[in-house]
């Protein structure tokens, strides 16, 4: 299985690796979002904008737990959902779980794809080759000397 992402030029002028994914909202409609591929993030986090669109039931985080990053601590809730990627053959690939979601729209404009999801794939980020790939069997990669 191969999921193809892209390098996205963001509003701040930086180009970042993203993968497009969709999540089924409470109304039965799929809502798409670009997810920042962040191998340094422990968990996947939905943006506050996506959370608002989904209207899914949320669970408060346990007291004393919070999302922490470079900018400090950020408020969040938990959401049970299935993140759906589109494979390069057009079929769906779903990863179900309980994900965090930002509650402050100013926290970030991108949802974050963390290791809780990325650990299901071999992740290739090549800015030089303009590639963002998530690979799972039956795809593999080979590294060779040029």
């Amino acid at each position: 299985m191969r999921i193809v992402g892209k390098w996205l030029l963001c509003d701040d002028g930086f180009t970042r690796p993203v993968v497009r994914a969709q999540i089924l909202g409470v109304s039965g409609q799929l809502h798409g979002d670009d997810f920042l591929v962040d191998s340094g993030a422990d968990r996947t986090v939905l943006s506050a904008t996506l959370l608002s669109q989904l209207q899914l039931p949320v669970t408060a985080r346990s007291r004393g737990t919070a999302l922490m990053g470079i900018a400090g601590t950020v408020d969040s809730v938990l959401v049970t959902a299935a993140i759906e990627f589109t494979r390069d053959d057009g079929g769906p690939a779903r990863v179900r779980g309980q994900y965090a979601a930002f509650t402050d729209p100013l926290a970030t404009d991108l949802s974050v794809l963390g290791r809780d999801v990325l650990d299901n794939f071999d992740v290739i980020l090549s800015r030089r080759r303009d590639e963002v790939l998530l690979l799972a069997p039956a795809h593999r990669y080979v590294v060779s000397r040029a």
Side-chain angles (χ1 to χ4, degrees):
M1 167 182 2
R2 186 171 81 152
I3 298 163
V4 179
K6 65 182 179 182
W7 289 89
L8 177 69
L9 179 60
C10 297
D11 292 340
D12 62 4
F14 289 96
T15 302
R16 295 184 175 88
V18 299
V19 174
R20 187 80 177 167
Q22 301 182 95
I23 298 178
L24 190 64
V26 74
S27 67
Q29 181 180 355
L30 285 171
H31 297 270
D33 204 7
D34 288 321
F35 283 73
L36 173 68
V37 178
D38 188 349
S39 63
D42 294 324
R43 65 180 309 154
T44 295
V45 186
L46 310 181
S47 70
T49 302
L50 180 58
L51 176 65
S52 174
Q53 293 171 353
L54 295 172
Q55 294 295 302
L56 292 172
V58 299
T59 303
R61 295 184 59 89
S62 302
R63 187 165 170 80
T65 63
L67 291 178
M68 294 182 66
I70 293 172
T73 303
V74 183
D75 290 334
S76 64
V77 293
L78 298 175
V79 177
T80 299
I83 298 175
E84 183 175 300
F85 303 99
T86 302
R87 302 183 317 233
D88 64 343
D89 66 2
R94 293 180 191 92
V95 181
R96 300 181 200 295
Q98 187 176 57
Y99 305 108
F102 294 114
T103 56
D104 181 356
L106 299 177
T108 181
D109 54 347
L110 289 173
S111 294
V112 176
L113 198 58
R115 287 193 319 274
D116 56 343
V117 171
L118 293 175
D119 284 350
N120 294 290
F121 303 96
D122 292 324
V123 179
I124 298 175
L125 303 176
S126 174
R127 184 69 177 113
R128 189 171 54 89
R129 293 180 179 255
D130 199 33
E131 292 181 323
V132 176
L133 300 171
L134 304 182
L135 304 176
H139 283 82
R140 65 185 183 102
Y141 65 94
V142 175
V143 177
S144 62
R145 184 175 270 186

